[in-house]
Amino acid sequence: MNRRQFVAGIAAASLAAPGQPNIEGARLRDHIERLSQYGRPAGGNFADGVSRVAYSDADVAGRAYVRGLMETAGLETRIDAAGNIFGRRPGREDSLPPVLFGSHIDSVPSGGNFDGDLGSLAAIEVVHSLADAGIATRRPLQVVVWQNEEGYAFNNGLAGSRAAAGHLDPGELDAVWNGMKKSEAIRKIGGNPDRIAEARIPKGAFASYLELHIEQGGTLERSGIDIGIVEGIVAIDRYDVEIRGFANHAGTTPMPERQDALVAASQLVIAVNDIVRAEPGRQVGTVGQLNVSPNAPNIVPGGVKLVIELRDLSAAKISALAGRIQARAREIAAQTRTTIEIRPAAHHDAALATPEIQRSIEASCDKLGFTHQRLPSGAGHDAQAMALLGPMGMIFVPSVGGISHSPKELTSWQDCARGAQVLLHTVLAQAG
């Protein structure tokens, strides 16, 4: 079976026992496919992926489509000052803090159709399913679609959820990207940057936060497991590195006399890989960006700027790894007669999932007969911002081939429906 046939497979329409609330897999699939039209390459189809970068015209159109779905499902919608879309369903005891659940719909350039989209549209499908079954929950429910989770725009992710958590960086609204100020970008999607503080959610304002997401890795598929229960979202430390050598003529500068910044950078890239691999565990280290100066074929490189990123559930572990990288950088600088400056650029704390919610997700899986395992999230998610405010849990479904941030990103429709069904039953358990 080829990939196009796989994508065209029949959605699982029913995964619930008779008399139980039931995710309508065909409806969920239809909504995901329709959303994919916003940001699709010209002349392309679903398999060609999507470029729905935050604040783009495609993002604005996609948000309007999703807000319409929320209202059709019976949700009372609003856009907060940060540009996040909220939809509320009353509960029998409507003054209680709600169960909050959702995800995002912005993408990276040339991304896929499941990252964020599944969690957002499955959240809406949960509300549809409850309405279909005539079920009223004790607590109110609140669906959210966060803005700019990916952070491709303005190079700073989790923008909407960080605003809700009160964790915007100083001066962040004044940042400029592609000629657009961030405050104006928020205004473009219906927010009000002049009243951004009103987007902040107080601690205790929600009973729990749930997010369904594709794994974006290959652990579940390799293991043949239906559902992943997230133990926590990794801490991320990012460092800006500047290496200064001396630019000189490539033909007339003898090898022993060179101060080649790119040679030093190359050794540092290998050092990051070696140091991170040498430590037992699931930590990762990446150098994914280099800028070489003057970047000419006949000039010895005089300068290199690069970014080192380290991730693990343990902030202490990646801090220790950074220390070893710093020490090795000093040795490389001495050997290559360059200077290497490593500066902290960004830090995101690890966010551990709430044990009670992990158990609730496990109970939902057991009730539905789905296999499950616990695992960490190596990618960042809006859930880590919400973990600062209240109990948090995440549900993963398999990613085919472990591929994400690519048009080839794929999760079977059966797995989409399974994940939505687990979300539905977990929401019911949390909302009463």
Side-chain angles (χ1 to χ4, degrees), residues 324-400:
R324 291 174 206 155
I325 292 168
Q326 288 268 15
R328 179 67 184 118
R330 289 192 288 271
E331 295 173 357
I332 293 169
Q335 293 163 1
T336 57
R337 298 190 301 135
T338 60
T339 61
I340 302 178
E341 183 180 3
I342 301 178
R343 300 181 301 275
H347 171 78
H348 294 288
D349 289 325
L352 299 180
T354 305
E356 186 274 330
I357 297 182
Q358 292 181 63
R359 290 191 292 269
S360 181
I361 297 169
E362 285 176 332
S364 296
C365 291
D366 291 339
K367 179 178 180 181
L368 294 162
F370 300 155
T371 57
H372 54 83
Q373 74 174 70
R374 296 192 181 192
L375 75 172
S377 172
H381 299 285
D382 292 303
Q384 67 196 92
M386 292 301 96
L388 300 170
L389 305 179
M392 175 276 284
M394 286 196 75
I395 301 160
F396 275 176
V397 290
S399 294
V400 175

Side-chain angles (χ1 to χ4, degrees), residues 88-143:
R88 190 177 190 279
R89 185 178 195 256
R92 296 192 307 273
E93 298 180 29
D94 205 41
S95 62
L96 290 175
V99 174
L100 179 65
F101 53 108
S103 193
H104 65 98
I105 65 163
D106 67 292
S107 80
V108 296
S110 299
N113 288 306
F114 296 87
D115 176 359
D117 297 2
L118 172 60
S120 296
L121 297 183
I124 297 169
E125 176 57 30
V126 164
V127 177
H128 260 301
S129 301
L130 293 175
D132 290 346
I135 293 174
T137 54
R138 175 170 165 260
R139 291 183 180 276
L141 304 181
Q142 198 162 45
V143 172

Side-chain angles (χ1 to χ4, degrees), residues 127-197:
V127 177
H128 260 301
S129 301
L130 293 175
D132 290 346
I135 293 174
T137 54
R138 175 170 165 260
R139 291 183 180 276
L141 304 181
Q142 198 162 45
V143 172
V144 61
V145 178
W146 303 109
Q147 63 100 341
N148 195 13
E149 187 270 354
E150 295 291 358
Y152 179 78
F154 298 96
N155 193 30
N156 203 345
L158 313 184
S161 55
R162 284 190 299 106
H167 277 244
L168 291 180
D169 297 333
E172 184 170 335
L173 296 186
D174 294 323
V176 176
W177 176 77
N178 278 4
M180 177 169 52
K181 202 172 181 180
K182 191 163 193 177
S183 58
E184 292 310 306
I186 290 173
R187 207 180 303 278
K188 178 178 178 179
I189 60 172
N192 185 347
D194 299 331
R195 306 178 70 171
I196 197 74

Side-chain angles (χ1 to χ4, degrees), residues 212-371:
L212 170 64
H213 209 279
I214 60 172
E215 182 193 348
Q216 299 182 275
T219 301
L220 295 175
E221 186 190 40
R222 284 192 300 269
S223 304
I225 299 294
D226 298 326
I227 299 293
I229 300 165
V230 175
E231 299 169 306
I233 302 168
V234 295
I236 304 174
D237 281 343
R238 190 173 289 178
Y239 297 88
D240 288 333
V241 181
E242 185 170 1
I243 303 173
R244 292 182 291 273
F246 189 82
N248 210 341
H249 196 292
T252 60
T253 308
M255 300 302 288
E257 296 179 12
R258 296 186 178 206
Q259 295 171 261
D260 191 323
L262 185 55
V263 168
S266 302
Q267 293 182 21
L268 183 59
V269 170
I270 293 170
V272 169
N273 184 69
D274 290 346
I275 289 168
V276 173
R277 283 177 177 268
E279 179 79 13
R282 294 192 180 189
Q283 71 283 343
V284 295
T286 306
V287 177
Q289 183 181 58
L290 294 99
N291 293 293
V292 181
S293 176
N295 202 30
N298 59 349
I299 302 176
V300 176
V304 175
K305 293 181 179 180
L306 58 88
V307 177
I308 297 172
E309 187 183 84
L310 304 172
R311 301 187 183 210
D312 191 73
L313 274 177
S314 168
K317 176 183 279 191
I318 59 175
S319 178
L321 290 171
R324 291 174 206 155
I325 292 168
Q326 288 268 15
R328 179 67 184 118
R330 289 192 288 271
E331 295 173 357
I332 293 169
Q335 293 163 1
T336 57
R337 298 190 301 135
T338 60
T339 61
I340 302 178
E341 183 180 3
I342 301 178
R343 300 181 301 275
H347 171 78
H348 294 288
D349 289 325
L352 299 180
T354 305
E356 186 274 330
I357 297 182
Q358 292 181 63
R359 290 191 292 269
S360 181
I361 297 169
E362 285 176 332
S364 296
C365 291
D366 291 339
K367 179 178 180 181
L368 294 162
F370 300 155
T371 57

